[in-house]
Amino acid sequence: MISVLRSEWLKLRSVRSTYIVLALVPAIFGLVALLTMTTVNFWDATPSRRNSIILSPFTGFTSWLVGVGLAILGVVTMTSEHSTGLIRTTYTVMPLRTKVVAGKAIVLTVVAFVSGQLVEFGSFFLSRAMMGNRTIIGHTSSLADEAPAMLASGTVVVVYAILGLGLGALLRSAAGAITALVAYWYIAPLVAQKLPGEWASWATSLMLTHLPAQLTGAESFGMGPPLKLSPPAAVVVMLLYMAVALGVASLFVRRRDA
């Protein structure tokens, strides 16, 4: 298995799209710095309005951005080998195809987890350093208070990445898999919230975008319907997302020709 992991790590590093996607991390830090600097400048320039100046917390937002990128990386991790024909060589060297999927998933999991936590905690420390002792609404809680939410949000990035891997294996088309991901992120939550009564709450609670809040025990998310999952249930749903994605990937790589 070590040789498979080494091979998959080498392939991930050799794909140009990996660096394009991971460039999101400094880009997100730049966005956080810009939003914070704008808010700080407005705070300093308008002393009489400081009680009404609000900057929404970055927790969740930053990990969602990097999660989108890592999901695309998950897609490319699988589809790039099919588009170049390298997948035939991979399966010749390693005939047990499920082991190849496992190797890709493990490498992707490590990269996604590190990226998610780096973005979450990095954004926190960057914004707080720029704010100094200014008490801007939305950014007054301590690291201890914010850490559980940041850990949860950063961890869900892994699920985004594995979901992308599964869709890449299923569709073998980067364009098709990315389109499916975009539809899930943007259309599915809107449809879920329009369902009648309790159906809206349950459907919304199962959305990947709403799992981090439920991992920390939150009962609502924004202006959406009430959330239904307890933290342990949210963990189970998160693991089910990954299990289904990896199960689909393993099933289709075994049954299809390279």
Side-chain angles (χ1 to χ4, degrees):
M1 190 64 189
I2 297 299
S3 61
V4 175
L5 292 175
R6 188 181 297 113
S7 173
E8 293 303 327
W9 172 242
L10 180 61
K11 283 187 282 188
L12 189 67
R13 288 169 51 197
S14 64
V15 178
R16 184 176 59 180
S17 55
T18 299
Y19 299 96
I20 295 174
V21 169
L22 293 181
L24 269 174
V25 174
I28 291 170
F29 287 150
L31 177 61
V32 168
L34 177 62
L35 293 172
T36 305
M37 181 179 65
T38 302
T39 305
V40 166
N41 289 341
F42 187 66
W43 166 281
D44 292 339
T46 57
S48 61
R49 300 181 61 182
R50 288 178 178 175
N51 290 335
S52 62
I53 296 174
I54 301 174
L55 179 61
S56 297
F58 296 120
T59 302
F61 170 67
T62 51
S63 62
W64 179 83
L65 289 176
V66 78
V68 171
L70 266 295
I72 293 172
L73 183 61
V75 169
V76 174
T77 297
M78 184 60 72
T79 60
S80 61
E81 288 194 69
H82 285 284
S83 63
T84 60
L86 181 62
I87 194 68
R88 297 185 184 90
T89 303
T90 298
Y91 290 156
T92 300
V93 175
M94 177 52 65
L96 188 58
R97 297 183 178 188
T98 53
K99 205 168 187 178
V100 174
V101 173
K104 291 180 183 296
I106 292 171
V107 171
L108 197 58
T109 293
V110 173
V111 173
F113 181 80
V114 172
S115 299
Q117 301 303 331
L118 177 63
V119 164
E120 280 293 328
F121 283 90
S123 297
F124 176 87
F125 288 115
L126 174 62
S127 60
R128 294 305 172 87
M130 294 180 67
M131 290 178 190
N133 59 0
R134 299 173 182 86
T135 54
I136 297 174
I137 298 173
H139 293 266
T140 56
S141 54
S142 66
L143 174 60
D145 293 332
E146 291 287 341
M150 291 191 291
L151 282 168
S153 296
T155 301
V156 171
V157 173
V158 174
V159 189
Y160 281 106
I162 298 301
L163 186 61
L165 180 71
L167 282 171
L170 173 64
L171 300 177
R172 288 190 176 182
S173 165
I178 292 171
T179 299
L181 286 170
V182 170
Y184 172 74
W185 283 317
Y186 290 103
I187 298 175
L190 294 176
V191 172
Q193 292 184 23
K194 297 299 182 181
L195 294 175
E198 290 291 296
W199 288 100
S201 291
W202 280 108
T204 301
S205 298
L206 294 173
M207 293 290 103
L208 188 53
T209 50
H210 292 64
L211 289 182
Q214 295 172 99
L215 286 172
T216 60
E219 297 180 354
S220 62
F221 184 82
M223 299 180 66
L227 301 177
K228 296 291 188 179
L229 300 181
S230 64
V235 171
V236 171
V237 172
M238 185 175 71
L239 293 175
L240 283 174
Y241 266 104
M242 297 177 66
V244 170
L246 291 174
V248 167
S250 299
L251 176 66
F252 278 88
V253 298
R254 287 202 313 268
R255 294 194 173 186
R256 284 177 175 171
D257 293 333

